[in-house]
Amino acid sequence: MALSLQLVTPEKQLLDQPVEMVVIPGSMGDMGVMEGHAAVVTTLRSGLVTIYERDVPTDRYFVRGGFAEVGGAICRVLAENAQHLASVKKSDSQMALAEAKVALDLVRTKGGVSQEELERLEQALADAELLDSLVA
């Protein structure tokens, strides 16, 4: 028996497959999920969804925000954004990081933006830094 992992973004379903175990980036910390896990709903922080087979990581997806629903034999990850980590090129992650830095610097210099917009840009920079650190 296996856990059914579903990874969905607003644009499309990225995964619907059986896995032995998955580790998701819950807002309160990483959470390992196997079949039979207690029912839980959690918000997600930016980080990796890592799929394991026989205690070995076999695949990874970078997610930004969203939530996960776990219960019995299903783990449903509903992410605001998700990327298969193996498909991200280092040059693309570095470009996204540079763009996030420029956007935040511009707003800080110019001023006149809401606290909410400033926090959104700071989170975008933190996400870009994290993704860049994970890409080979």
Side-chain angles (χ1 to χ4, degrees):
M1 307 238 302
L3 176 71
S4 175
L5 174 62
Q6 299 170 358
L7 176 56
V8 181
T9 68
E11 292 82 30
K12 64 182 174 179
Q13 182 166 341
L14 297 171
L15 285 177
D16 187 0
Q17 70 182 49
V19 300
E20 186 176 304
M21 183 176 89
V22 62
V23 175
I24 58 175
S27 58
M28 300 299 287
D30 289 350
M31 182 169 72
V33 180
M34 298 175 75
E35 183 180 26
H37 194 285
V40 66
V41 174
T42 184
T43 55
L44 299 175
R45 69 181 196 291
S46 296
L48 288 178
V49 170
T50 306
I51 299 169
Y52 286 84
E53 299 297 332
R54 295 182 206 90
D55 299 326
V56 176
T58 59
D59 217 351
R60 301 186 307 170
Y61 289 80
F62 183 76
V63 297
R64 290 181 186 93
F67 67 95
E69 175 186 22
V70 177
I74 296 176
C75 178
R76 189 173 292 118
V77 176
L78 304 165
E80 292 173 15
N81 186 285
Q83 296 173 272
H84 189 225
L85 197 59
S87 70
V88 179
K89 296 178 185 171
K90 186 66 170 179
S91 60
D92 292 341
S93 70
Q94 289 175 334
M95 182 179 294
L97 178 58
E99 289 172 356
K101 285 179 180 178
V102 167
L104 185 57
D105 287 344
L106 181 63
V107 165
R108 285 181 173 156
T109 302
K110 182 175 118 180
V113 298
S114 68
Q115 183 63 29
E116 184 178 289
E117 179 65 9
L118 181 60
E119 289 172 2
R120 186 191 67 74
L121 290 170
E122 289 171 341
Q123 184 61 52
L125 176 59
D127 290 350
E129 289 172 337
L130 178 57
L131 179 60
D132 187 59
S133 73
L134 295 169
V135 176

